Amino acid sequence: MAARNTLRRSLLYVPGSSQRFLDKSRSLTADCVTYDLEDSVTPHMKVAARSLVRRAIDQAAPAGIRERAVRINSVDSGLALGDLTEVLQSPNLTTIVIPKVNSASDLTFVTDVITHTLSQQPPAERTPISLLALVESAKSLTNLSQICAASPLLQGLIFAAEDFALDLSITRTPSLTEFLFARSAIATAARAAELPSTIDLVCTAYKSENGDGSPPAVLQEECRDGRRLGFNGKQCIHPSQVKVADQIFGPDALETEWAMRVVIADEKAAKAGRGAWTLDGKMIDVPVAHKARAIVKKAEACGVDVDALRGEWQHQEPE
């Protein structure tokens, strides 16, 4: 069976009720395109959107998209079962995004539906289903530990800032300091549960401030801020945001170069029986070496030619 995707620098929402947007999405490049059946779909279009999204994922995956997901309606809405019954018929579906996950029971319900539905289908080799859970309320925040342990299919957490602000009756400000506790708690809980994806809040700005097509400064700063807090991806509401998210949550060229130098030198230090050594005047020990290997692994997943980089720095020695 194919391995699950663990690279979600950008998660781009596409309205599931718009055939035009669904068609356009096939020409995009993004780590994860999420066809939306929830917020972007009006109530009278919910049923029709299921069929449109089902047909979209029945088509072969476009070359520029690593993962195609579907955001269903929340379990509390009463629409989740209908959404799942429809989209799970497609053998191409790999990922389900679940909104308003307030407790472990929401994930248990979705997991049970997936297990039952797939058991009724002819045996076939397909990619395992992955779940991504949206954290949107005070209740979900207090239940993070149980949520993270609720399903073996869970692959990540997503922070929904606007709904969280509504629930707590707070106002979003440019500094985002009002979300610091929630974002830190989400990133920490995901890491503790060894979930590969932590996807940060939506940036509502996407139009160029200068009229030259350059990305808004606030988008870049939000991505950097999210990365500093431990997130490894960002929700996007417009294709123009994807490139910025991919760049900032992807491997920085200088950081990747440093990491490869550390990996090469650490291999030589280990052969010499040295547990700690220095590079550029700074101590390198086991945690730093592990971090460097993780950076190199991510860079390779993002398409960086790490073999060429290794060849370039093959003579690096531990100081």
Side-chain angles (χ1 to χ4, degrees):
M1 302 179 84
R4 291 176 176 177
N5 178 53
T6 59
L7 186 67
R8 300 182 179 100
R9 297 165 297 176
S10 54
L11 185 149
L12 173 66
Y13 291 111
V14 176
S17 57
S18 171
Q19 187 64 60
R20 181 170 68 89
F21 285 145
L22 291 170
D23 290 341
K24 183 180 179 181
S25 71
R26 296 187 58 79
S27 65
L28 301 177
T29 297
D31 284 347
C32 179
V33 166
T34 300
Y35 301 127
D36 187 28
L37 296 175
E38 196 214 10
D39 283 350
S40 67
V41 179
T42 57
H44 73 281
M45 289 294 294
K46 294 288 188 182
V47 174
R50 290 172 182 163
S51 298
L52 292 177
V53 168
R54 162 74 188 281
R55 287 200 294 269
I57 56 179
D58 275 346
Q59 298 179 65
I65 300 174
R66 292 176 180 266
E67 175 182 46
R68 291 179 296 172
V70 174
R71 179 164 71 170
I72 61 173
N73 288 280
S74 67
V75 173
D76 287 346
S77 72
L79 298 170
L81 179 58
D83 293 341
L84 289 166
T85 301
E86 178 70 32
V87 299
L88 284 169
Q89 301 305 311
S90 175
N92 297 329
L93 179 66
T94 63
T95 308
I96 297 170
V97 177
I98 310 164
K100 298 177 175 60
V101 176
N102 289 319
S103 65
S105 61
D106 294 327
L107 291 182
T108 302
F109 173 84
V110 173
T111 302
D112 288 346
V113 172
I114 292 171
T115 302
H116 175 74
T117 303
L118 297 187
S119 71
Q120 304 303 306
Q121 298 176 4
E125 187 172 296
R126 62 179 293 166
T127 303
I129 299 292
S130 296
L131 303 181
L132 300 174
L134 276 151
V135 177
E136 310 191 29
S137 67
K139 185 176 181 180
S140 62
L141 200 66
T142 58
N143 289 331
L144 276 177
S145 295
Q146 295 93 326
I147 288 171
C148 288
S151 171
L153 305 182
L154 186 64
Q155 286 276 293
L157 301 178
I158 307 172
F159 179 47
E162 302 305 327
D163 285 273
F164 186 80
L166 177 64
D167 189 47
L168 270 68
S169 298
I170 57 179
T171 300
R172 177 173 177 159
T173 65
S175 70
L176 302 179
T177 53
E178 60 278 358
F179 298 131
L180 180 58
F181 171 73
R183 293 164 79 200
S184 296
I186 290 167
T188 302
R191 181 63 263 165
E194 298 185 346
L195 303 179
S197 291
T198 46
I199 303 172
D200 203 9
L201 45 72
V202 165
C203 178
T204 56
Y206 61 88
K207 293 184 179 180
S208 173
E209 299 165 335
N210 304 315
D212 58 359
S214 59
V218 65
L219 172 61
Q220 299 178 66
E221 180 51 37
E222 280 192 20
C223 288
R224 294 190 186 100
D225 186 47
R227 180 168 177 168
R228 286 191 292 266
L229 286 174
F231 287 86
N232 54 29
K234 191 166 186 67
Q235 298 169 86
C236 300
I237 55 172
H238 193 274
S240 63
Q241 296 178 322
V242 170
K243 185 176 181 181
V244 175
D246 285 352
Q247 287 177 341
I248 294 177
F249 286 102
D252 175 85
L254 291 178
E255 183 181 45
T256 304
E257 181 181 277
W258 167 85
M260 180 56 79
R261 292 174 63 204
V262 170
V263 168
I264 292 171
D266 189 61
E267 291 169 353
K268 296 177 181 179
K271 289 180 179 179
R274 297 169 60 184
W277 45 280
T278 60
L279 182 70
D280 299 334
K282 297 181 180 179
M283 188 184 78
I284 306 296
D285 57 7
V286 173
V288 177
H290 282 333
K291 178 182 178 181
R293 290 189 180 89
I295 292 172
V296 171
K297 183 178 180 180
K298 183 173 183 178
E300 185 174 22
C302 292
V304 175
D305 189 346
V306 296
D307 290 334
L309 196 59
R310 176 177 281 276
E312 180 181 349
W313 290 99
Q314 60 182 312
H315 300 299
Q316 177 68 57
E317 297 288 337
E319 297 171 2

